[in-house]
């Protein structure tokens, strides 16, 4: 009994912080999402409007378009980061000249603030002064202009995200790979298994929990990408990179449509939980059951 | 004895003279003494005038009063975001906020700001002898309420002017080529047809001669509000479409059907004119906001363009940042017939008179100290050096200062234009729903820019969307 009280006492600062910065804001956003509230409307007060904001969402083509391109963005970015991150993790487990320097340079983007990443990529992709359009024109005769081409803008945002976040995947997977037991690998080699068989039947199943945890983190991050894209394209050209985070930002801040913006935020949170749950159920739960 | 008497009399006279000397000599230290230990926090957009406040005026004020001033200079949208959230949540983080003249009507509608006129009247001890509302230019009118009370001390004011390259316009070879091609003399355009002709000529000239040179700038970002503003605040008025084509006196009508002008023939002609210019502008134009058009001009990549005046000084005079120093000419924007007459008669305007002020949020915890700082930056005394560092004039006396006059020559007459023709330009319309209508219609505007939708159809949709948003906000009945 005494130890239980002490446990709660020790936990209480965490619970208070969680309540203040996690639970209370969430409840507040949920509360606002059931209201019509625009401080710059003729009536600036909060008006309870039942589930009108949620009903509106279903028929809002701009929201649906945003959601569609966000999911496409997340798919390309996260899958690429996972594949590239794994390859780099494997490479960094081996010794090669300049490994320490490469590892440091590779990790640098991770410590950069997203707004800086967006600014740097904007500079690098501006047609008149950017190094990327210059090289593409010199080497391939291709004129890159992310202010004109929706495909180019989308692709650049994906590449920027990969550049920024692959190091996180690499570091997570290095940690997972070095902690693997050596027995199954030695056994497989004695049994004459090939590299591909070892990868699919031993390495991948063993690092799956770490890989999935990394995917969850990246998935949640990618679904709420705002600063980098806002700085690079502003959501354009047109609405081609108006990802859901950018859409919420524009709805909530310049437009001050707090009620509707909150409803979108709640739905995005719900979708994130659903996607993560589906991945967990599909990839981890069956193994746990079998185990 | 006689000597001692004389010395005493002299000492008495000196002492009386010191005590009787004008209060203003020591006003700042006296006024500041009450606020010892206070640090004022301000947020503003990172512009040359704001940077001057942070780097020069704030330290000077601190030296005189002992009140510390911490000015945060950030991006335009961050500045709004932070200021509005602070005032909305009543957290009182900021003691001073930058008020662009297009947002003040929203702030006044929410009672966010301290009434400067009333406060100084009610607390005369706060009033600095060197500060007077009457010293401001007419630009201060944008920061007054219906009763004429001031809610912001103007700190930057400039025109979006027509800049052209004098070296190109005066080059005999180019003049001859232009004459040969068009049959006309090369001189700054006064009409849209002339401007287009010159722009087309220079774009072709650059291409033919292997030069990185185009005929015009275009602030045509395909995902940033800067392009929306360039059209509605700089281009549409020159075609006679004022106040974004929304008629406030007619139930905020935007569509032609209901009496508005957002999708009228003039607006559609203006948009087609501008889209054509965008197509012959440098490739970076589709990513250009207000800053990048200035950079493009300063890099010598265009022959002419509409540029925000806040950049005029460094473009025209700073060789560290500009390749066209001493080669910049200023003119009024090209106009459709009748627009200049409208402007002179006060029925319209020919372009954008941009700028901002510093105001005190009612949520500030240091209102009196903040007002002192606002008075400090509003005095005539600090204006000339500020106008040299950043091309802004908010006080009438600044125009006559010898240093400013000298700078005016370097700037090709920009200050003279501000003084003589400033009245022909106008700030944003007095709408409390500024950002809301812009954001509601902007996605359609961006679709027009990418060619996803035609200009006529796009403007029809924008006008309908504007009315829908105004209805939803409760302004349109």
């Amino acid at each position: 009994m005494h130890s239980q009280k002490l446990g709660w006492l020790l936990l209480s600062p965490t619970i208070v912080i969680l309540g203040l910065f996690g639970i209370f804001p969430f409840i507040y956003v949920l509360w606002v999402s059931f209201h019509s509230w625009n401080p710059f409307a003729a009536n600036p007060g909060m008006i309870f409007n039942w589930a009108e904001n949620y009903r509106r969402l279903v028929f809002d083509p701009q929201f649906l378009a945003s959601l569609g391109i966000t999911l496409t963005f997340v798919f390309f970015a996260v899958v690429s980061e996972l594949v590239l991150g794994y390859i780099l993790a494997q490479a960094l487990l081996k010794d090669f000249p300049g490994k320490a320097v490469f590892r440091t340079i590779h990790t640098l983007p991770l410590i950069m603030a997203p707004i800086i990443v967006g600014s740097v990529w904007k500079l690098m992709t501006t047609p008149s002064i950017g190094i990327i359009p210059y090289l593409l024109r010199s080497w391939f005769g291709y004129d890159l202009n992310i202010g004109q081409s929706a495909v180019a803008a989308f692709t650049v945002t994906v590449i920027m995200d990969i550049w920024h976040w692959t190091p996180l995947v690499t570091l997570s997977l290095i940690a997972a790979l070095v902690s693997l037991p050596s027995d199954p690998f030695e056994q497989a080699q004695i049994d004459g298994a090939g590299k591909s068989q070892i990868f699919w039947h031993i390495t991948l199943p063993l690092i799956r929990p770490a890989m999935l945890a990394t995917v969850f983190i990246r998935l949640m991050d990618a679904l709420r990408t705002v600063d980098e894209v806002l700085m690079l394209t502003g959501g354009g050209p047109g609405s081609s990179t108006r990802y859901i985070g950018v859409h919420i930002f524009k709805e909530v801040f310049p437009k001050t449509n707090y009620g509707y913006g909150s409803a979108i935020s709640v739905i995005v949170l719900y979708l994130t939980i659903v996607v993560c749950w589906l991945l967990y159920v599909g990839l981890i739960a069956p193994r746990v059951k079998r185990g | 004895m006689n000597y001692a008497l004389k010395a005493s009399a002299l000492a008495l006279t000196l002492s009386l003279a010191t005590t009787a000397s004008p209060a203003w000599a020591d006003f700042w230290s006296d006024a500041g003494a009450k606020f010892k230990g206070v640090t004022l926090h301000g947020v503003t957009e990172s512009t040359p005038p704001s940077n001057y406040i942070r780097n020069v005026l704030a330290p000077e004020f601190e030296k005189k009063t002992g009140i510390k001033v911490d000015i945060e200079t950030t991006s335009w949208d961050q500045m709004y975001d932070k200021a509005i959230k602070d005032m909305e949540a009543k957290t009182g983080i900021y003691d001073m906020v930058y008020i662009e003249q297009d947002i003040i009507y929203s702030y006044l509608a929410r009672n966010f700001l301290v009434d400067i006129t009333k406060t100084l009247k009610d607390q005369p001890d706060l009033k600095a002898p060197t500060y007077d509302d009457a010293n401001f230019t007419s630009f201060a009118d944008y920061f007054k309420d219906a009763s004429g009370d001031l809610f912001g001390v103007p700190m930057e004011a400039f025109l979006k002017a027509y800049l052209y390259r004098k070296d190109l316009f005066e080059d005999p070879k180019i003049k001859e080529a232009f004459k040969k091609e068009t049959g006309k003399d090369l001189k700054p355009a006064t009409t849209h047809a002339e401007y287009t002709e010159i722009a087309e000529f220079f774009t072709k000239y650059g291409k033919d001669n292997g030069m990185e040179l185009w005929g015009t700038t275009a602030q045509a970002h395909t995902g940033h509000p800067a392009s929306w503003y360039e059209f509605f605040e700089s281009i549409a008025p020159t075609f006679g479409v004022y106040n974004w084509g929304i008629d406030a006196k007619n139930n905020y009508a935007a569509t032609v059907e209901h009496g508005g002008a957002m999708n009228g023939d003039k607006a559609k002609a203006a948009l087609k004119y501008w889209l054509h210019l965008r197509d012959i502008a440098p490739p970076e134009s589709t990513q250009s906001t207000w800053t990048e058009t200035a950079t493009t001009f300063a890099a010598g990549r265009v022959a002419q363009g509409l540029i925000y005046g806040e950049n005029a000084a460094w473009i025209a005079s700073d060789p560290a940042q500009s390749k066209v120093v001493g080669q910049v000419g200023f003119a009024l924007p090209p106009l459709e017939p009748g627009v200049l007459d409208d402007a002179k008669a006060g029925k319209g305007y020919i372009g954008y008179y941009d700028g901002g002020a510093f105001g005190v949020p009612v949520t500030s915890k240091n209102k009196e100290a903040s007002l002192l700082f606002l008075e400090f930056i509003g005095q005539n005394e600090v204006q000339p050096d500020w106008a040299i560092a950043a091309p802004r004039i908010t006080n009438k006396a600044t125009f006559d200062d010898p240093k400013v006059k000298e700078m005016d020559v370097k700037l090709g007459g920009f200050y003279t234009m501000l003084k003589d023709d400033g009245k022909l330009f106008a700030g944003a319309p007095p709408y409390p729903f500024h950002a809301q209508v812009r954001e509601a219609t902007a996605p359609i505007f961006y679709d027009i820019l990418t060619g996803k939708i035609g200009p006529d159809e796009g403007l029809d949709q924008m006008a309908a969307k504007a009315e829908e948003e105004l209805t939803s906000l409760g302004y349109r009945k």
Side-chain angles (χ1 to χ4, degrees):
Chain A
M1 191 63 187
H2 173 74
S3 68
Q4 207 177 13
K5 270 185 184 169
L6 183 70
W8 280 111
L9 194 70
L10 292 172
L11 261 180
S12 57
T14 311
I15 292 170
V16 169
I17 290 169
L18 197 69
L20 275 177
F21 298 106
I23 297 166
F24 172 71
F26 173 69
I27 293 170
Y28 185 65
V29 167
L30 199 64
W31 165 252
V32 172
S33 75
F34 286 98
H35 291 77
S36 152
W37 182 25
N38 193 323
F40 293 106
N43 179 357
M46 285 174 84
I47 302 160
F48 185 71
N49 67 353
W50 299 95
E52 172 57 26
N53 290 329
Y54 291 94
R55 190 200 64 80
R56 195 178 144 193
L57 271 175
V58 183
F59 302 103
D60 182 352
Q62 209 168 41
F63 164 72
L64 297 173
S66 269
L67 192 63
I69 56 165
T70 306
L71 293 175
T72 318
F73 167 77
V74 168
F75 175 77
F76 281 111
V78 175
V79 169
S80 309
E81 284 158 18
L82 203 61
V83 173
L84 204 59
Y86 179 78
I87 293 169
L88 286 166
Q90 282 289 9
L92 285 166
L93 284 178
K94 292 169 187 148
D95 279 329
F96 57 87
K99 181 181 161 182
V101 177
F102 176 77
R103 199 166 166 162
T104 308
I105 293 172
H106 174 61
T107 316
L108 278 178
L110 208 55
I111 57 170
M112 286 173 80
I115 198 89
I116 303 296
V117 171
S119 307
V120 169
W121 277 79
K122 187 177 180 182
L123 274 177
M124 291 199 302
T125 52
T126 301
S128 55
I129 54 166
I131 181 79
I132 297 174
Y134 173 76
L135 291 177
L136 287 175
R137 198 181 312 115
S138 311
W139 292 346
F140 308 108
Y142 173 72
D143 282 321
L144 176 78
N145 190 332
I146 62 166
Q148 269 178 348
S149 162
V151 176
F154 177 82
T155 310
V156 170
T157 57
V158 171
I159 294 172
M160 177 175 67
D161 198 79
I162 293 169
W163 177 83
H164 193 186
W165 293 113
T166 299
L168 177 81
V169 181
T170 309
L171 293 179
S172 306
L173 294 186
I174 285 176
L177 287 168
V178 295
S179 65
L180 292 181
S182 56
D183 292 0
F185 293 93
E186 287 165 3
Q187 191 65 50
Q189 275 174 332
I190 292 165
D191 291 345
K195 278 185 178 174
S196 148
Q197 284 171 311
I198 290 175
F199 171 74
W200 288 111
H201 298 292
I202 299 175
T203 315
L204 198 60
L206 285 176
I207 63 166
R208 186 155 32 191
M211 205 175 234
L212 208 64
T214 313
V215 167
F216 284 169
I217 294 169
R218 281 305 306 126
L219 204 68
M220 287 185 275
D221 269 348
L223 275 168
R224 58 188 176 86
T225 295
V226 183
D227 348 27
E228 294 173 347
V229 175
L230 203 61
M231 184 50 79
L232 180 67
T233 64
S239 300
S240 57
T241 57
R242 193 176 165 120
Y243 301 133
I244 204 76
V246 176
H247 184 61
I248 294 172
F249 174 84
K250 292 196 172 188
E251 201 66 44
V252 172
F253 295 111
K255 219 170 154 189
T256 55
N257 200 352
Y258 294 160
Y260 190 51
S262 299
I264 305 176
S265 303
V266 171
I267 286 296
V268 170
L269 174 70
Y270 174 74
L271 285 176
T272 309
I273 293 169
V274 167
V275 172
C276 290
W277 179 76
L278 284 176
L279 277 174
Y280 176 79
V281 167
L283 296 170
I284 293 285
R287 278 180 59 82
V288 173
K289 238 181 210 172
R290 281 203 302 273
Chain B
M1 183 65 185
N2 193 23
Y3 173 78
L5 194 70
K6 276 182 185 170
S8 305
L10 183 67
L12 185 67
T13 314
L14 277 173
S15 143
L16 281 173
T18 317
T19 355
S21 65
W24 55 263
D26 204 31
F27 170 81
W28 296 109
S29 59
D30 284 351
K34 282 186 282 182
F35 306 104
K36 207 172 179 185
V38 164
T39 300
L40 301 175
H41 298 278
V43 63
T44 181
E45 186 186 0
S46 179
T47 60
S50 291
N51 290 333
Y52 187 84
I53 293 181
R54 188 189 61 185
N55 301 332
V56 180
L57 296 178
E60 266 181 29
F61 178 74
E62 187 182 336
K63 216 169 169 183
K64 291 194 171 176
T65 61
I67 303 170
K68 282 188 182 168
V69 182
D70 173 27
I71 299 288
E72 181 183 338
T73 53
T74 181
S75 71
W76 175 76
D77 29 16
Q78 283 290 310
M79 173 265 295
Y80 273 139
D81 180 25
K82 289 182 172 194
I84 290 175
K85 272 198 271 189
D86 179 46
M87 294 188 290
E88 177 69 36
K90 299 185 174 67
T91 37
I93 293 169
Y94 295 114
D95 301 299
M96 293 166 299
V97 292
Y98 176 85
I99 316 165
E100 199 164 347
Q101 52 79 39
D102 48 21
I103 198 82
I104 184 151
Y105 311 105
S106 304
Y107 288 0
L108 289 180
R110 297 294 318 279
N111 296 318
F112 277 166
L113 302 170
V114 168
D115 183 334
I116 296 171
T117 310
K118 187 176 177 302
T119 312
L120 292 182
K121 205 188 257 176
D122 294 347
Q123 293 173 257
D125 55 316
L126 270 182
K127 167 86 170 55
T130 48
Y131 171 85
D132 189 350
D133 286 3
N135 289 340
F136 296 128
T137 63
S138 60
F139 187 67
D141 295 345
Y142 287 108
F143 302 98
K144 290 177 180 172
D145 68 356
S147 61
D149 279 9
L150 193 70
F151 284 77
V153 168
M155 45 74 74
E156 61 179 19
F158 39 79
L159 308 174
K160 191 165 182 189
Y162 170 16
L163 269 65
Y164 62 94
R165 290 266 303 277
K166 284 198 284 191
D167 57 328
L168 297 177
F169 275 65
E170 288 164 10
D171 184 323
K173 219 174 93 185
I174 293 175
K175 283 170 87 170
E176 194 189 324
F178 185 78
K179 180 93 176 176
K180 199 175 161 193
E181 193 149 323
T182 65
K184 294 171 188 164
D185 290 328
L186 180 59
K187 56 181 187 201
T190 55
T191 67
H192 294 112
E194 286 172 8
Y195 190 91
T196 306
E197 200 167 41
I198 295 169
E200 284 170 344
F201 166 78
F202 274 110
T203 298
K204 186 172 176 294
Y205 186 85
K207 203 174 176 185
D208 292 348
N209 292 280
M211 296 163 73
E212 288 281 306
L213 180 71
W214 284 264
T216 179
T217 57
Q219 187 179 297
H221 198 294
T222 46
H224 190 282
S227 50
W228 192 98
Y229 282 121
E230 168 130 311
F231 178 67
F232 282 105
E233 289 179 340
S234 305
I235 304 295
T238 65
F239 279 78
V241 180
Y242 310 118
N243 302 324
W244 311 348
I246 295 174
D247 188 352
K249 289 179 184 155
N250 181 18
N251 193 22
Y252 291 109
T255 60
V256 172
E257 188 191 354
H258 295 127
M262 191 182 263
N263 60 336
D265 291 342
K266 287 178 181 175
K268 287 175 177 174
L271 186 52
K272 283 169 197 159
Y273 157 80
W274 184 62
L275 287 175
H276 174 64
L277 293 181
R278 187 272 314 262
D279 292 342
I280 56 169
E284 67 267 28
S285 299
T286 49
Q287 286 170 265
S288 290
T289 68
W290 21 71
T291 315
E292 286 86 14
T293 44
T295 316
T296 292
F297 193 95
R301 292 170 62 78
V302 287
Q304 53 179 2
L306 293 179
I307 305 287
Y308 284 93
E310 64 188 319
N311 301 298
W314 67 265
I315 292 176
S317 64
D318 185 355
Q321 296 187 74
S322 170
K323 286 184 180 174
V324 294
V325 170
Q327 297 164 359
V328 183
F330 291 85
L332 298 181
L335 303 167
E336 283 300 287
V339 172
L340 189 60
D341 295 332
D342 269 5
K344 282 178 179 167
K347 292 180 201 160
Y349 52 97
I350 65 168
Y352 191 47
Y353 200 153
D354 194 12
F358 256 27
V360 178
V362 289
T363 48
S364 159
K365 294 176 183 109
N366 302 295
K367 292 189 196 71
E368 284 86 3
S370 305
L371 280 172
L372 280 179
F373 183 68
L374 261 52
E375 289 181 79
F376 184 79
I377 66 169
Q379 307 169 96
N380 282 344
E381 286 77 354
V382 304
Q383 304 299 325
D385 288 337
W386 197 357
I388 305 298
R392 35 70 65 208
I393 290 183
T394 55
N395 290 34
K396 286 177 275 191
T398 320
F399 290 113
D400 300 323
D401 185 272
K403 278 189 280 186
V404 175
K405 280 184 170 174
E406 194 185 320
M407 187 67 182
D408 189 36
V409 176
K410 274 191 199 166
L411 290 180
F414 180 67
Y415 288 148
T416 306
M417 182 197 273
L418 195 64
K419 186 181 179 185
D420 297 343
D421 300 317
K423 58 185 176 291
L424 300 174
F425 292 74
Y431 299 150
F433 45 74
H434 189 110
Q436 289 67 33
V437 168
R438 185 199 72 215
E439 282 302 316
T441 55
I444 306 168
F445 189 68
Y446 301 146
D447 282 343
I448 298 173
L449 297 187
T450 58
K452 197 174 169 188
I453 184 171
D456 290 357
E457 191 194 342
L459 279 176
D460 289 342
Q461 286 187 18
M462 284 176 75
K465 188 72 186 175
E467 286 185 353
E468 184 191 317
E469 184 69 13
L470 286 166
T471 307
S472 152
L473 289 168
Y475 292 101
R476 183 174 162 79
K477 307 294 176 200

